[in-house]
């Protein structure tokens, strides 16, 4: 029970207060409302880079654009391939495909739902330019193994860190792992301005290239339309940055609560027969928990969907997990490998299984009370007990 007494009244999302209000007013008072005139985007980038241990951050319009821009400065384009998890949000592949490159779906680990090392190794070809680990729900992918693979093959890593604000791997922050990382600030993400995104860089040249490209190829001080490169307009506005500076300030406290609640909820879920919570790799020593995920192995997609509907009806913000990307119609528009969906499915049995048997709960659940974790597990056990087997 929380203060209101209702077991399923979880905190709202997004959360905001005087800090966000002050950020918006600061943005209003800037000499201009785009980043070239105001100071909020610049300040946010400094703060976000420092928070993640990166040399540079570049704020952009959204997480999909962050991935696209990061891939572009890493040399991804026509004739190249990028390895992506088959189990992820569609944008991981879309960003590759928008650049005229091929997105190659590869299977994930059944426990962490992150890129599988052996499957990644098997998918590397002479055309592979980059590999994109997705830190699923905040669980950092095996960056040791993937780092070794990438170095040996001479390919780049771009981390899809859309779920991983503030995550750590062996105590190292996302920006300290030696590769470009892309973040999202979309409404549901762990910090948000409704929309928004960012890249972090260890490398000065990649950052400079990305800065030019995110602003139609124009250097910061250009007054004579000397566009030095191509690119697009991916600039973030001052208002969003003002809000994001406040949101960054909430992250540590919220992450600490979510880590505690997940430790409890995960134990309770694991006690329910037929429920397997997402596993954690102990090397990921700070997990911000973008989702509370669990599998119902062998349940089948239809019954899984019915369980989700029943959880929602009982007040638990539950969702069916991502559909494997090769099962999405849009994936086949362009930039798909020269394989059929069934051939990819055969290579990616774990992604197929997870997309049919996995459920996730909104992270606002993990901002609830300890009692609410017991209530959620209790409701799930009841729903599984009462839902027909077939
Ligand atoms: C949200 C998300 C994105 C895209 O971010 P947007 O800001 O919505 O464009 C990319 N990858 C993953 C894994 C995501 O969850």
């Amino acid at each position: 029970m929380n203060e209101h007494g209702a077991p399923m009244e979880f905190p709202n999302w997004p959360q905001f207060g005087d800090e966000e209000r002050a950020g918006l007013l600061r943005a209003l008072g800037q000499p201009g409302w785009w980043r070239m005139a105001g100071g909020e985007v610049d300040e946010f980038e400094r703060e976000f880079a420092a928070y993640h241990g990166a040399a540079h951050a570049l704020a952009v319009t959204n997480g999909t654009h962050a991935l696209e821009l990061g891939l572009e400065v890493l040399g991804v384009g026509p004739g190249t391939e990028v390895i992506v998890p088959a189990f992820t949000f569609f944008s991981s592949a879309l960003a590759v495909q928008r650049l005229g490159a091929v997105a190659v779906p590869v299977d994930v680990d059944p426990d962490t739902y992150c890129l599988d090392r052996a499957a990644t190794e098997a998918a590397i070809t002479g055309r592979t330019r980059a590999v994109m680990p997705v830190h699923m729900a905040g669980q950092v992918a095996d960056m040791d193994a993937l780092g070794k693979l990438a170095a040996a093959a001479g390919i780049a890593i771009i981390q899809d860190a859309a779920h991983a604000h503030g995550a750590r791997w062996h105590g190292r922050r996302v920006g300290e792992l030696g590769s470009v990382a892309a973040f999202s600030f979309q409404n549901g993400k762990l910090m948000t301005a409704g929309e928004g995104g960012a890249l972090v860089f260890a490398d000065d040249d990649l950052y400079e290239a990305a800065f030019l490209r995110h602003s139609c190829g124009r250097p910061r001080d250009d007054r004579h339309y000397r566009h030095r490169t191509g690119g697009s307009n991916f600039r973030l506005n001052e208002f969003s940055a003002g809000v994001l500076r406040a949101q960054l300030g909430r992250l540590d406290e919220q992450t600490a609560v979510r880590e505690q609640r997940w430790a409890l909820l995960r134990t309770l879920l694991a006690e329910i027969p037929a429920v397997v919570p997402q596993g954690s790799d102990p090397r990921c020593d700070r997990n911000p928990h973008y989702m509370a995920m669990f599998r119902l192995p062998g349940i089948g997609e239809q019954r899984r969907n019915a369980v989700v509907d029943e959880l929602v009806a009982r007040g638990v913000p539950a969702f069916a997990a991502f559909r494997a990307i090769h099962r999405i119609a849009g994936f086949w528009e362009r930039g798909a490998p020269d394989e059929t969906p069934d051939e990819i499915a055969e290579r990616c049995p774990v992604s197929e299984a997870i997309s049919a048997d996995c459920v996730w709960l909104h992270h606002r659940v993990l901002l609830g009370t300890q009692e609410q974790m017991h209530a959620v597990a209790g409701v799930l056990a009841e729903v599984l007990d009462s839902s027909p087997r077939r």
Side-chain angles (χ1 to χ4, degrees), residues 62-65 67 88-89 91-92 134 160 162-163 183-186 189 195-196 290 322:
N62 58 62
T64 309
H65 286 163
L67 287 169
T88 181
F89 182 67
S91 285
S92 309
V134 176
D160 182 338
H163 304 171
F183 293 85
S184 166
F185 308 125
Q186 179 270 339
K189 297 288 155 67
E195 301 281 4
Y290 172 60
F322 305 122

Side-chain angles (χ1 to χ4, degrees), residues 268-304:
L268 298 171
L269 293 178
E271 287 166 3
I272 307 172
V275 177
V276 182
Q278 182 187 18
S280 55
D281 184 325
R283 292 171 294 177
C284 174
D285 45 19
R286 189 161 187 257
N287 180 336
H289 295 292
Y290 172 60
M291 301 184 268
M293 304 182 92
F294 56 88
R295 296 184 63 184
L296 306 168
I299 189 170
E301 187 171 347
Q302 246 179 314
R303 196 169 157 241
R304 186 274 315 267

Side-chain angles (χ1 to χ4, degrees), residues 61-363:
T61 32
N62 58 62
T64 309
H65 286 163
L67 287 169
E68 189 178 323
L69 183 60
L71 288 163
E72 191 174 26
V73 297
L74 291 171
V76 171
T80 66
E81 297 173 356
V82 177
I83 292 171
V84 300
F87 179 72
T88 181
F89 182 67
F90 189 25
S91 285
S92 309
L94 268 181
V96 175
Q97 295 175 319
R98 288 277 293 179
L99 292 166
V102 172
V104 180
V106 155
D107 213 3
V108 298
D109 181 89
D111 191 40
T112 63
Y113 319 160
C114 294
L115 261 186
D116 179 80
R117 191 206 66 84
T120 303
E121 185 168 24
I124 295 175
T125 72
R127 291 177 301 279
T128 308
R129 188 74 199 85
V131 53
M132 185 191 294
V134 176
H135 302 321
M136 184 55 61
Q139 164 63 56
V140 178
D142 186 347
M143 293 300 286
D144 297 348
L146 294 171
K148 273 188 209 137
L149 265 187
I155 61 181
I157 291 183
I158 177 164
Q159 304 172 60
D160 182 338
H163 304 171
H165 313 73
R168 294 190 188 190
W169 179 253
H170 294 301
R172 281 148 75 213
R173 294 167 287 176
V174 168
E176 295 173 307
L177 297 174
S179 46
V180 175
F183 293 85
S184 166
F185 308 125
Q186 179 270 339
N187 195 64
K189 297 288 155 67
L190 293 172
M191 48 182 283
T192 182
E195 301 281 4
L199 284 162
V200 300
F201 301 89
D203 184 284
D204 298 346
D205 295 339
L206 286 177
Y207 162 72
E208 295 295 343
F211 187 94
L212 282 175
R213 288 194 168 272
H214 105 298
S215 190
C216 304
R218 272 179 107 178
R220 200 180 269 272
D221 53 359
D222 175 59
R223 290 194 296 126
H224 301 106
Y225 300 102
R226 294 201 174 91
H227 301 262
R228 286 211 254 135
T229 66
S232 191
N233 176 0
F234 289 167
R235 292 184 304 261
L236 191 72
N237 65 78
E238 289 288 289
F239 301 107
S240 298
V243 171
L244 288 169
R245 292 180 66 191
Q247 293 274 296
L248 183 59
R250 298 181 186 279
L251 198 54
D252 280 341
E253 205 182 312
Q254 291 171 340
T255 297
V257 174
R258 286 189 298 262
E259 283 197 298
Q260 282 179 24
R261 295 299 180 266
W262 175 245
L264 171 60
L265 181 60
R266 176 190 178 183
T267 308
L268 298 171
L269 293 178
E271 287 166 3
I272 307 172
V275 177
V276 182
Q278 182 187 18
S280 55
D281 184 325
R283 292 171 294 177
C284 174
D285 45 19
R286 189 161 187 257
N287 180 336
H289 295 292
Y290 172 60
M291 301 184 268
M293 304 182 92
F294 56 88
R295 296 184 63 184
L296 306 168
I299 189 170
E301 187 171 347
Q302 246 179 314
R303 196 169 157 241
R304 186 274 315 267
N305 293 348
V307 167
V308 169
D309 290 346
E310 191 54 33
L311 287 172
V312 171
R314 298 192 191 204
V316 181
F319 302 82
F322 305 122
R323 189 175 299 279
I325 56 173
H326 53 274
R327 297 298 190 187
I328 295 174
F331 177 77
W332 297 94
E333 228 174 68
R334 64 159 158 167
D338 196 11
E339 292 175 275
T340 65
D342 287 342
E343 282 166 349
I344 295 178
E346 206 166 309
R347 293 195 288 105
C348 300
V350 177
S351 301
E352 288 276 307
I354 296 177
S355 74
D357 70 20
C358 184
V359 175
W360 64 272
L361 310 181
H362 195 283
H363 55 80

